[in-house]
Amino acid sequence: MTPQVPGSRRRRELITFLVLAFGIWPLVAVGVVGGYGFLVWILQIIFGPPGPPGH
């Protein structure tokens, strides 16, 4: 392994941070919220909406 210059490493870490912060984590957050909404939707189809029994 060759020693890296600190500026090159800092730039690579900054790019990695930006990809994680503005690329991967927003997609993960949307996937989790969407998955939870889908789960609630399916459960309401199977068991009905929450609340007291129908009139």
Side-chain angles (χ1 to χ4, degrees):
M1 288 179 55
T2 59
Q4 296 180 341
V5 231
S8 173
R9 181 175 180 192
R10 180 176 170 90
R11 177 179 163 90
R12 194 174 70 231
E13 287 180 0
L14 179 64
I15 290 172
T16 302
F17 169 75
L18 291 174
V19 167
L20 284 171
F22 298 104
I24 293 175
W25 284 119
L27 293 175
V28 169
V30 168
V32 167
V33 172
Y36 178 73
F38 183 75
L39 177 68
V40 169
W41 179 56
I42 291 298
L43 289 175
Q44 286 184 354
I45 288 175
I46 295 171
F47 297 111
H55 302 321

